[in-house]
Amino acid sequence: MGSSSQLPHAALGSALRAIRLRKKESLLEASSAIEISGERLARIENGELHPTEDILLLLVSHYVVSEKEEEKLWELAGYNKKSYSEPEKLDTSMQQNFFDMPVDARVVYAD
């Protein structure tokens, strides 16, 4: 295997590893918290594997990083952070209004 600078996602992986170590979590603890295998997280941290947007979102959420650090991670990953942090504006021109009517779910038996 080559040096970490030759791996495609080395900078992102190094940043994620540094955060995990700063939080004093083992690889197993962090991977279990976001429900991926320890091997997969190790490959992400080694720069061998690029995390999906969902996995990166889970990692950022789990590690509770500063906004500045979060932006750096999204940038290193090549994803647009705004697509996750800001809800989309809904087109209300075609929106229908619905009523929530209470329903009596009791059953009445008659002889």
Side-chain angles (χ1 to χ4, degrees):
M1 186 159 68
S3 69
S4 64
S5 63
Q6 294 175 345
L7 294 172
H9 312 291
L12 176 61
S14 295
L16 289 169
R17 180 183 294 112
I19 293 167
R20 179 178 58 79
L21 294 175
R22 190 178 68 229
K23 300 287 183 179
K24 297 182 168 81
E25 284 194 23
S26 71
L27 194 62
L28 184 59
E29 290 170 327
S31 63
S32 295
I34 64 165
E35 298 181 350
I36 64 171
S37 70
E39 179 185 353
R40 187 169 186 183
L41 183 56
R43 290 185 65 207
I44 290 169
E45 288 186 355
N46 290 334
E48 299 169 19
L49 186 65
H50 190 258
T52 63
E53 291 174 271
D54 291 338
I55 289 177
L56 186 58
L57 185 62
L58 289 169
L59 285 167
V60 165
S61 177
H62 172 69
Y63 290 144
V64 191
V65 296
S66 69
E67 188 173 333
K68 182 179 177 182
E69 199 166 26
E70 179 181 354
E71 287 176 9
K72 178 185 171 195
L73 291 171
W74 284 108
E75 184 180 315
L76 287 171
Y79 295 129
N80 181 5
K81 174 195 171 251
K82 290 187 177 190
S83 66
Y84 290 99
S85 61
E86 298 175 7
E88 291 183 27
K89 301 279 184 197
L90 295 175
D91 180 14
T92 57
S93 63
M94 300 292 289
Q95 186 176 5
Q96 294 180 346
N97 293 323
F98 292 94
F99 292 93
D100 187 17
M101 297 181 63
V103 176
D104 188 357
R106 294 178 287 180
V107 177
V108 178
Y109 294 99
D111 289 331

